[in-house]
Amino acid sequence: MHPLIRIAGVFTVSALWSSPAFATSTGITGQSGKDGMSCATCHKGGEPPTVEFEGPASLDPGATGQYTFIIRGGAAKTGGLDIAVDNTDATLQTVSTGMKKLGAELTHSAPQPFNAGELRFNFSLVAPATDVTLTIFGAGNSTNADLKSDGDRSSTTKLSVKVGKGTPVDVPNEEGPKESDGGCAAAGSAPVWGAMLAGLALLRRRQG
Ligand code: HEC
């Protein structure tokens, strides 16, 4: 099937599912914090949980890394998540049960119970075949299991992963920094530019 038709199909199906009340207890995307939005737009009233990623901060090109997203605190009865990556050549895959892939992102398939004060979701990331630095974004919602959006709260976090040598940074010469010929895919991403600029500053300092 043509990929566009498949995408249109996914949108139609999710639009039907989410009407009329924007039910998200069976999963939601676009709320990982990658595009500035998170579960906290709707889920209010609870204490914010702490959320973190565990897993390798560097991978070989094409390698598969195992990661865990952990939610602690907050209402801590049940919870859910949304994970996204800012690189279309990287692939996210579910490992834990209770998760599903929706579009390019990972989310819960139903509210998942906390266990001993925490909720863990295991997943994997297949790195792109080329050197690049990418970011994994995650939003974790700590919910009170009333199947409503109040009394809950989410937090977001992100993890930078260096694939191979990472996004190429040109070493500045006497004439000053050259125009970067790589990293076009990351051009729109402020954090990546920030990291690149920080890298340049470090290099300069080391040389001077
Ligand atoms: C557009 C508003 C909206 C957004 C954004 C949203 N939700 Fe929800 N969510 C709801 C509503 C409404 C309900 C109650 C209806 C239902 O069960 O889906 C709900 C219910 C839930 C429940 C069950 C809550 C409980 O106390 O039992 C979970 C878990 C959940 N959402 C996870 C998430 C996660 C994780 C995110 C962010 C990645 C998210 N939601 C983003 C509106 C939203």
Side-chain angles (χ1 to χ4, degrees):
M1 210 194 295
H2 190 280
L4 279 179
I5 298 175
R6 266 170 57 189
I7 289 168
V10 168
F11 277 133
T12 314
V13 169
S14 57
L16 285 176
W17 272 342
S18 53
S19 66
F22 278 108
T24 65
S25 54
T26 53
I28 188 166
T29 59
Q31 311 292 326
S32 66
K34 178 165 84 76
D35 305 308
M37 286 181 302
S38 82
C39 331
T41 313
C42 301
H43 288 267
K44 294 190 162 88
E47 289 294 314
T50 58
V51 293
E52 68 167 311
F53 283 112
E54 270 180 15
S58 61
L59 289 173
D60 288 335
T64 301
Q66 302 299 332
Y67 293 88
T68 305
F69 182 74
I70 308 163
I71 311 174
R72 294 187 184 96
K77 292 253 171 35
T78 54
L81 81 169
D82 180 18
I83 294 175
V85 58
D86 67 351
N87 185 300
T88 50
D89 293 327
T91 309
L92 293 166
Q93 289 170 341
T94 62
V95 173
S96 289
T97 54
M99 287 176 89
K100 66 181 179 187
K101 190 158 176 171
L102 205 54
E105 303 186 6
L106 303 181
T107 184
H108 55 282
S109 50
Q112 297 301 305
F114 272 66
N115 192 349
E118 60 179 35
L119 177 51
R120 292 174 165 258
F121 292 94
N122 299 324
F123 66 98
S124 61
L125 176 117
V126 185
T130 47
D131 291 356
V132 70
T133 303
L134 54 80
T135 305
I136 312 174
F137 294 83
N141 201 358
S142 182
T143 57
N144 61 0
D146 65 354
L147 290 178
K148 296 198 182 89
S149 56
D150 53 1
D152 315 327
R153 190 77 194 181
S154 69
S155 299
T156 58
T157 187
K158 57 189 173 184
L159 178 70
S160 178
V161 179
K162 190 170 156 186
V163 178
K165 296 189 178 72
T167 300
V169 177
D170 283 340
V171 179
N173 56 23
E174 295 92 88
E175 283 104 62
K178 282 183 292 179
E179 242 181 77
S180 171
D181 55 356
C184 294
S189 160
V192 170
W193 274 114
M196 286 170 67
L197 289 175
L200 280 174
L202 263 179
L203 282 169
R204 282 226 183 94
R205 214 172 301 152
R206 267 189 215 146
Q207 283 181 342

